[in-house]
Amino acid sequence: MAQYAVSVIIPSYNSEKTIVSCLESLITQDFRGSFEIIVVDSSHDSTPHIIRRRFPQVDLIHLNKKTGP
């Protein structure tokens, strides 16, 4: 298991209109240490498909039931 200096955890629900800009902003950060991005998603829209297709380096945890942050 990799060791990261920072873990960014993003709660997501039906975020198909905003998740791309959010993740692109994080991925392009000028951070000198190692970091991971984890999205915890309970969407019923295309959010998980977008993440899997465009951001394979992001860890996606998809829940079948809506949860709060």
Side-chain angles (χ1 to χ4, degrees), residues 25-39:
S25 294
L26 286 169
I27 289 169
T28 59
Q29 290 296 307
D30 184 18
F31 180 70
R32 296 179 192 257
S34 61
F35 67 99
E36 66 180 336
I37 302 170
I38 302 166
V39 177

Side-chain angles (χ1 to χ4, degrees), residues 40-52:
V40 180
D41 177 68
S42 57
S43 297
H44 297 291
D45 64 2
S46 63
T47 301
H49 304 291
I50 293 168
I51 295 168
R52 286 186 192 108

Side-chain angles (χ1 to χ4, degrees), residues 2 7 13 16-17 20-21 30 33-34 41-42 46 52 55 57 62:
S7 294
Y13 179 73
E16 67 185 6
K17 294 181 182 176
V20 170
S21 61
D30 184 18
S34 61
D41 177 68
S42 57
S46 63
R52 286 186 192 108
F55 304 97
Q57 70 274 42
H62 183 73

